[in-house]
Amino acid sequence: MTKLLVITHGKMAMGIKDSVDLIIGNSDNIITESLVAGQDFEEFKSSIESKIRRGGKEEPVLVMVDLFSASPYNASLYLSQKLREEGYKIEVITGVNLPMVLEASLMSDSMELEELKDLAVENGREGVIDAIALLDSSLEDEEEDY
C-alpha cells in the first residue's frame, strides 16, 4: 500500500484528511503535515522526513503539497531527492485537492506508485470545473434537443 503524505500551509491538510474520512471512512493511509506560522524550516523538514522514513524503504510514499515552489514543496522536493538516493520510493505532486486525495486513497493498495501519481494528477485536474459554464452548456444542449 502506498502511503499518502499531504503537506500544506496551515490546517488544510488535516481538513482534506477529515473530508476523506467523512466520505469513505477511515483513511489510515493518509498522513498529514502542516506548516504553521513561525515554524523553523529545518524543524518542518525534519518532521516530514521522519514521516516518510516511518514506513521504511519498502513503503512507497506519494507526497501531495499545496503550492508549487512554496516551503512545503521545497522541503518535499529536497527530501525526495535525498531519500530516493537511499532507496526510498517517493513521488511529489503539487496543487493538492480533495478529488486527488480521495481517488489516491481509494486506489493506494491496488496501484504502483507511478500509476497512483498519474491518477492523482488526473483526478486533481478533472476536479476543477467551471460549474456555471457547465450548467450553461447543459441548458444549451437541452434547448437544442427541442
Side-chain angles (χ1 to χ4, degrees), residues 65-71 73-74 77 94-95:
V65 300
D66 53 1
L67 292 173
F68 175 74
S69 202
S71 294
Y73 170 83
N74 293 332
L77 204 59
T94 68

Side-chain angles (χ1 to χ4, degrees), residues 15 28-29 35 91 111 113 119-121 127 130 133 138 146:
D28 291 335
N29 59 332
L35 178 62
E91 293 289 344
M111 296 181 112
L113 178 58
L119 179 72
V121 168
D130 180 343
S138 176
Y146 291 107

Side-chain angles (χ1 to χ4, degrees), residues 10-81:
K11 297 178 182 178
M12 181 179 159
M14 291 179 283
I16 289 174
K17 180 175 177 7
D18 184 57
S19 295
V20 171
D21 288 344
L22 178 68
I23 295 167
I24 64 170
N26 194 358
S27 55
D28 291 335
N29 59 332
I30 299 174
I31 54 176
T32 63
E33 182 64 38
S34 299
L35 178 62
V36 296
Q39 184 175 15
D40 177 72
F41 183 73
E42 291 304 315
E43 175 188 303
F44 176 64
K45 201 166 59 172
S46 177
S47 181
I48 294 169
E49 183 173 0
S50 70
K51 288 180 179 182
I52 293 171
R53 286 185 182 276
R54 191 176 300 152
K57 293 178 183 177
E58 296 308 310
E59 183 177 52
V61 179
L62 178 57
V63 179
M64 295 181 263
V65 300
D66 53 1
L67 292 173
F68 175 74
S69 202
S71 294
Y73 170 83
N74 293 332
S76 298
L77 204 59
Y78 169 81
L79 289 168
S80 71
Q81 292 171 334

